[in-house]
Structure formats: structure tokens, C-alpha cells
Amino acid sequence: MDRLDPIARANRIGTLVCGYPFDLEHPRSFNEKISWLKFHYRNPLWERVADKLECKKYLEEIGLGKFVVPVYGAWDSVDEIDLDSLPDEFVLKATHDCGSVYLCKKGETDFGKVFASLRKSMERRYSEEQRNGEWVYDNIVPRVYAERLLHPHPMYCGDIPDVKVQTAGGDIVFGYVGSGRAVDLRVNMLGKELNPNSMLYAHLAEKGAWPILLEKDILRVTNDIASRFFEVRVDFLLAQEGLFISELTFFSFSGCAPFVPVEADFRFGEEIDLSLFGRVEQ
């Protein structure tokens, strides 16, 4: 597979993961169209907000600063981190990759191990390492930053639900809620209305476990952001401290997210009009 050209490789992987013959020459499904964008579309705004710190700045610029997790400090090198300037608990993250997230509490965290892991993260070139064509990460300057540690909300069974809302063409396509990520991830998928009546596929026993139904701001904020991009997934966290945007994502699961049933992949693909991507976003 390593000898294949990038598009042929993406077709092969997509076929294996998604369960049908992937065809990026004639994309019809949601996953095919997300994958198509990796190879046929470029936009500097996407590159900017793929940087986790720049994303926060962008959200503040468009008036959504109240939904940004506060930052305590940012550094070009792990060796520059000043623990004395930070509160007793915080989160350390890298700006340029996926998965470099460390929950820290003074007196409990082994910062030697955390810093060692972050040094490795700073040397990573995510898109090169993954070979998945996600060009938005190519030019991000690696940095490390500390932000506020969010806490589980007792109303949501002691969890911080991960709410992701996929949009295209300025409209919501679908949303889903992930809970129990650290132990046993469960996902429920919702239609455009993001309410119990729009439930499409459920993997939780009770609809009442869904926090998204109580958060009108999710619809308002998502619609605001969706109006600025032809395609974007808005990722939220629902914590004791409130509702926050964790990141903006353009290549959801890198265009390789198996849908059950498979028909849903094609149903949602109809919502993405690739002819829009000849224009420039503001």
C-alpha cells in the first residue's frame, strides 16, 4: 500500500474501513467527499484555525470568545514552561497534532514524563506521520500551551460529553454526542434539529442521558460558524464550567469513519456540494 499514489492509497483504505468501493474520482458518500477535499481544495483560513491556539484567536475575533477555554500560557519549547506561573491544575496541549493532551495537577502529575512526551510531540509532523493528506497541519509551528482544566458536570453523570456537529453549505448535516470516552465510548447520532426526535442512531440506553438537548447555544454557535465555512465540524465540550468549543475540524475522522448502516454515509454525502469549493471563504 505504501507504493500506491496518495489517491489510490486513500481509495484502498476507505474501501477497507468503510465497507464499500471507495471512489474519489466520483465521490458520493460523506467519507468520499471529505477525503476528496484533502486532495483537491486549499484554503489559508482552514490552515490557520487547524492550529489550536490560532483557532482560539479566530473564535474571539468573530465574537465567540466566551466559548473559548482560557489559556494560561504558551511556549515555543517544552523547556520554557514555567510551572510556577500556572495554577494547581491545568491542561498541557500541543498546537499542531492530535492526542497530545495532558491533564495536570501539581503534587500528583509526574511532569518529567509529561515533558518527555511533549518533547516527542513537538518533533512530530502530524500529516507526514499519518500520511493521510490532511494538509491543514503541514505548516503549523509546533508550540505547547496550558489551558484551564474542565471538570465533569454532575448533571451529565460525572462526564464531560463530547458534542460534534457536522456542517456543510452553511447548514447542519448531523450531530453526535460521545460520552464515557475514557472508559467505554458511546455515541448517539442526531439529525439537523439536534433533539431527541431527530435521533438517527442510538448507542446509549436512555435519551435522557443527552446533555445537548439542554444547550440552545450549541445551535446558535454552530450556525454562526457554519455560515463562515463551506464545510466544518464544530466540536464542543460540556463541562461543569460551561459550554466550550474544543476545536474546528475539516476532515472528520480523515474521511474514514464507518457508518452503520452504510446507507447513512451516502445520505449525509448528499448534503455536501463540492461545487461550492471553487470560491473563497472570508
Side-chain angles (χ1 to χ4, degrees):
M1 193 174 293
D2 288 342
R3 293 192 295 269
L4 297 175
D5 69 75
I7 292 180
R9 186 173 185 270
N11 276 332
R12 183 74 62 83
I13 293 173
T15 298
L16 292 171
V17 173
C18 297
Y20 56 87
F22 229 58
D23 184 2
L24 295 189
E25 296 300 320
H26 307 91
R28 296 185 302 120
S29 70
F30 175 81
N31 278 306
E32 286 172 331
K33 290 184 177 182
I34 293 297
S35 295
W36 184 92
L37 291 172
K38 295 190 296 186
F39 299 106
H40 298 286
Y41 183 70
R42 295 290 185 273
N43 190 303
L45 180 58
W46 287 28
E47 287 185 303
R48 181 191 174 193
V49 300
D51 181 315
K52 293 180 176 63
L53 276 177
E54 285 298 316
C55 184
K56 291 176 181 288
K57 293 178 183 178
Y58 175 75
L59 293 171
E60 290 171 351
E61 290 168 7
I62 64 174
L64 298 176
K66 67 175 287 187
F67 302 103
V68 173
V69 182
V71 173
Y72 297 128
W75 305 272
D76 296 323
S77 166
V78 175
D79 296 322
E80 296 175 359
I81 298 174
D82 181 9
L83 289 176
D84 291 336
S85 69
L86 297 174
D88 289 338
E89 55 181 25
F90 53 90
V91 180
L92 287 175
K93 294 183 178 181
T95 59
H96 68 296
D97 69 355
C98 178
S100 295
V101 178
Y102 301 90
L103 310 185
C104 302
K105 294 186 178 182
K106 292 180 179 178
E108 298 180 18
T109 298
D110 185 336
F111 285 104
K113 289 184 178 179
V114 170
F115 287 4
S117 295
L118 277 170
R119 288 189 184 94
K120 292 180 180 178
S121 297
M122 298 288 275
E123 296 173 356
R124 297 177 70 193
R125 293 298 178 265
Y126 182 69
S127 57
E128 292 180 11
E129 178 183 291
Q130 298 295 312
R131 297 191 60 199
N132 57 14
E134 294 191 28
W135 50 268
V136 292
Y137 296 103
D138 288 348
N139 299 315
I140 298 177
V141 177
R143 302 186 74 200
V144 61
Y145 65 100
E147 69 177 22
R148 183 180 186 178
L149 177 66
L150 302 180
H151 297 87
H153 199 302
M155 183 177 181
Y156 307 141
C157 303
D159 194 10
I160 300 180
D162 186 14
V163 182
K164 302 180 187 297
V165 187
Q166 178 68 48
T167 75
D171 296 319
I172 293 173
V173 178
F174 60 84
Y176 58 95
V177 182
S179 62
R181 178 177 293 276
V183 181
D184 180 20
L185 176 62
R186 300 285 175 163
V187 174
N188 282 343
M189 183 169 285
L190 296 171
K192 296 181 179 182
E193 298 81 9
L194 303 182
N195 63 42
N197 295 326
S198 72
M199 186 181 294
L200 300 172
Y201 310 105
H203 297 278
L204 289 176
E206 298 180 2
K207 295 180 182 179
W210 286 46
I212 189 172
L213 314 178
L214 307 176
E215 300 292 343
K216 293 181 180 179
D217 277 339
I218 288 180
L219 276 172
R220 179 178 65 81
V221 172
T222 299
N223 286 326
D224 186 348
I225 295 173
S227 70
R228 304 168 190 274
F229 296 92
F230 297 137
E231 183 273 322
V232 66
R233 194 187 77 202
V234 186
D235 296 353
F236 296 93
L237 294 173
L238 283 166
Q240 181 175 318
E241 292 80 2
L243 174 68
F244 295 95
I245 300 170
S246 57
E247 61 183 308
L248 302 182
T249 301
F250 299 102
F251 307 120
S252 184
F253 295 100
S254 200
C256 282
F259 283 81
V260 179
V262 171
E263 289 75 15
D265 201 346
F266 291 87
R267 171 183 172 183
F268 296 136
E270 294 174 356
E271 302 290 335
I272 301 180
D273 181 0
L274 293 180
S275 68
L276 294 174
F277 290 86
R279 300 191 298 230
V280 178
E281 294 164 326
Q282 301 295 325

